[in-house]
């Protein structure tokens, strides 16, 4: 047997040979539209901070006040002695924001999916997921032991076929059937047909979990997410989201019935066996939820759509429906995408190349994200940078 170091070196070499090696880049500035990497000032088109809240004074102040009042750490898991007042306040704010009976917060979106799906399902059950759902949902599905079936991206016919198969199975105890999708997809920025999926799950006696990681704060009258915009929120049993994207903090949550939340407190292992989030991030998330619900939140949403409109007009990318702050620029080849990203950095523009395993092999892309904090000037730089880097814009969606 090789030593651990030998084994890992071989595997790293294979990763490099495929053009898939990744390394961390230390960012020397706060998170925002202007960042500094390795001494270079860059305009940042890579973050999920769609409303520009990550470095917003209201969130920073809330975090500082929480540290002063509750300290730096949370001491233990929530079920021991770590269930601090801010955690309860956050969950009340989340339930009120989303219009559900109750909510439960987790330390990350990843932990949310993992804890929730493994609590709900076991090996007798069936989980049906969209082909493009986030890795945390795929990992959770596998860990749950349930039979995993994948439907083609946003393909209702394929989903229906799988539901018919699931319903045809005979067993002493009928399997639980859970459908999981995102609302706005993280790497493509397109939307799931939630109304139609809700109709299907009702026709076929399945439950539905929707991950609104990239939609919370951006869609619907009260900016609750795409489910609100499409009028189906109260037909979705399990509403998941994250606190680290448009909400500018970090963490994840489930909103739903009090029964669901009680059950998760008792059975979600990533919740039970993990130290509670620290007061600072929890307080920042509360401040973000308050801000998103205020007039300022509506102004920020308008601003982000205005900037998306500017980018699309200047790059001749057609408007998508619904509009989305995620604009993928398809490249295909991994090395080519890396080259383009490097050339963009030379022009002072940071747009990450997204490669396998984040997207499929040969589907590498530049993933451009727009924030309300971008200025028209930032967008001019982006457009100039893309042109100077020789970026083609063929498959604009
Ligand atoms: C980012 C993301 C997650 C994970 O959330 P974290 O808080 O970053 O762990 C889950 N689902 C989707 C769709 C995401 O984009």
């Amino acid at each position: 047997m090789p030593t651990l170091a030998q084994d890992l070196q071989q595997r790293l070499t294979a990763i490099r040979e495929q053009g898939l090696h990744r390394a961390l880049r230390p960012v020397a500035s706060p998170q925002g539209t202007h960042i500094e990497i390795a001494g270079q000032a860059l305009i940042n088109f890579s973050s999920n901070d769609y409303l520009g809240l990550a470095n917003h004074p209201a969130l920073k102040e809330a975090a500082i006040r929480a540290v002063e009042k509750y300290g730096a750490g949370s001491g233990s898991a929530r079920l021991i002695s770590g269930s601090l007042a801010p955690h309860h306040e956050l969950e009340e704010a989340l339930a009120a924001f989303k219009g559900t009976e109750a909510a439960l917060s987790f330390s990350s979106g990843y932990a949310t999916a993992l804890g929730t799906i493994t609590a709900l399902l076991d090996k007798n059950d069936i989980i049906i997921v969209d082909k493009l759902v986030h890795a945390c949902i795929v990992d959770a599905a596998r860990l749950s032991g349930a039979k995993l079936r994948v439907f083609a991206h946003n393909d209702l016919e394929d989903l229906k076929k799988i539901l018919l198969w699931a319903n045809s199975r005979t067993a002493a105890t009928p399997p639980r059937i859970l459908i999981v999708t995102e609302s706005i997809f993280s790497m493509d920025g397109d939307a799931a047909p939630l109304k139609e999926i809700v109709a299907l799950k009702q026709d076929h006696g399945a439950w539905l979990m929707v991950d609104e990681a990239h939609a919370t704060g951006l869609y619907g009258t009260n900016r609750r997410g795409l489910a609100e915009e499409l009028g189906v929120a109260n037909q979705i049993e399990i509403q998941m989201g994250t606190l680290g994207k448009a909400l500018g903090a970090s963490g994840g949550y489930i909103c739903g019935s009090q029964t669901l939340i009680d059950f998760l407190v008792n059975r979600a292992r990533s919740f039970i066996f993990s130290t509670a989030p620290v007061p600072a991030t929890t307080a920042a998330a509360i401040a973000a939820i308050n801000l998103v619900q205020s007039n300022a939140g509506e102004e920020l949403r308008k601003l982000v759509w205005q900037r998306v409109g500017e980018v699309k007009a200047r790059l001749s990318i057609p408007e998508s429906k619904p509009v989305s702050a995620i604009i993928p620029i398809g490249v295909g080849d991994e090395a080519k995408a890396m080259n383009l990203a490097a050339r963009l950095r030379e022009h002072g523009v940071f747009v990450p190349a997204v490669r396998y395993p984040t997207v499929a092999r040969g589907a590498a892309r530049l993933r451009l994200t727009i924030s309300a904090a971008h200025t028209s000037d930032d967008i001019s730089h982006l457009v100039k940078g893309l042109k100077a880097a020789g970026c083609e814009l063929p498959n604009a969606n």
Side-chain angles (χ1 to χ4, degrees):
M1 189 167 100
T3 66
L4 176 67
Q6 285 167 341
D7 184 61
L8 300 186
Q9 282 305 345
Q10 271 173 16
R11 286 151 71 176
L12 279 166
T13 301
I15 292 170
R16 281 200 187 86
E17 282 169 0
Q18 294 169 68
L20 297 177
H21 188 259
R22 299 170 168 208
L24 296 168
R25 297 171 203 281
V27 176
S29 58
Q31 187 55 243
T33 48
H34 290 244
I35 55 172
E36 189 194 314
I37 297 179
Q40 190 191 5
L42 293 162
I43 308 175
N44 182 14
F45 288 95
S46 76
S47 91
N48 302 311
D49 183 23
Y50 304 116
L51 298 176
L53 299 189
N55 196 31
H56 190 285
L59 274 71
K60 287 183 3 182
E61 261 166 48
I64 292 164
R65 267 185 275 119
V67 169
E68 283 167 356
K69 191 162 177 196
Y70 296 101
S74 52
S76 77
R78 293 280 302 278
L79 283 167
I80 310 298
S81 60
S83 201
L84 303 175
H87 299 124
H88 293 266
E89 201 188 316
L90 171 61
E91 287 157 358
E92 277 164 29
L94 275 167
F97 171 42
K98 299 284 278 187
T100 57
E101 256 176 42
L104 189 66
S105 62
F106 291 72
S107 51
S108 71
Y110 191 99
T112 305
L114 215 65
T116 301
I117 290 170
T118 59
L120 294 174
L121 303 181
D122 63 35
K123 65 178 181 0
N124 297 313
D125 301 326
I126 296 169
I127 181 165
I128 309 172
V129 308
D130 185 285
K131 169 90 177 128
L132 294 187
V133 290
H134 192 267
C136 65
I137 293 164
V138 177
D139 294 357
R142 288 188 181 138
L143 188 60
S144 74
K147 275 176 210 74
L148 171 60
R149 289 291 180 278
V150 178
F151 61 99
H153 179 53
N154 281 347
D155 186 332
L156 296 164
E157 279 308 308
D158 202 25
L159 172 57
K160 188 173 170 185
K161 255 187 247 159
I162 298 171
L163 283 165
L164 288 169
W165 164 83
N167 275 325
S168 72
R169 294 177 61 82
T170 46
T173 37
R176 302 178 181 98
I177 306 169
L178 176 68
I179 303 168
V180 190
T181 186
E182 288 174 33
S183 59
I184 295 292
F185 283 85
S186 62
M187 292 298 135
D188 294 79
D190 59 339
L194 291 183
K195 262 191 197 167
E196 291 77 5
I197 293 176
V198 163
L200 277 176
K201 72 108 185 169
Q202 279 166 343
D203 285 352
H204 295 86
W207 304 331
L208 178 60
M209 172 168 172
V210 175
D211 181 352
E212 296 249 40
H214 296 274
T216 308
L218 294 169
Y219 300 87
T221 311
N222 301 295
R223 295 170 291 286
R224 292 172 182 172
L226 189 68
E228 182 190 27
E229 178 145 329
L230 299 176
V232 291
N234 56 18
Q235 287 148 282
I236 298 168
E237 289 89 347
I238 305 148
Q239 299 188 51
M240 173 180 161
T242 62
L243 303 168
K245 280 146 187 169
L247 295 174
S250 81
Y253 63 83
I254 295 289
C255 285
S257 68
Q258 187 64 57
T259 311
L260 170 66
I261 299 310
D262 283 349
F263 181 76
L264 293 177
V265 166
N266 282 277
R267 281 289 179 270
R269 294 171 65 86
S270 64
F271 175 85
I272 299 169
F273 299 105
S274 190
T275 299
V278 298
T281 56
T282 305
I286 297 167
I289 291 163
N290 291 336
L291 201 150
V292 161
Q293 289 176 280
S294 72
N295 291 338
E298 179 57 25
E299 291 307 311
L300 289 173
R301 169 166 68 175
K302 279 195 193 131
L303 202 51
V304 67
W305 295 152
Q306 183 185 323
R307 296 294 180 235
V308 169
E310 283 176 42
V311 172
K312 291 199 161 177
R314 296 195 55 183
L315 296 175
S316 305
I317 300 175
E319 276 295 349
S320 61
K321 218 174 175 304
V323 57
S324 156
I326 302 164
I327 306 175
I329 299 178
V331 179
D333 181 66
E334 281 78 17
K336 193 173 166 202
M338 292 300 284
N339 275 331
L340 274 173
R343 265 184 276 151
L344 280 166
R345 285 199 301 280
E346 287 165 17
H347 290 93
V349 174
F350 189 79
V351 180
V354 179
R355 294 167 286 166
Y356 177 84
T358 307
V359 295
R361 283 183 201 271
R365 67 198 60 183
L366 298 176
R367 178 180 180 266
L368 190 64
T369 50
I370 308 301
S371 164
H374 282 124
T375 62
S376 288
D377 217 37
D378 294 337
I379 287 163
S380 293
H381 272 96
L382 168 70
V383 172
K384 268 187 234 148
L386 284 168
K387 289 187 176 155
C391 188
E392 300 151 37
L393 299 160
N395 78 328
N397 75 340

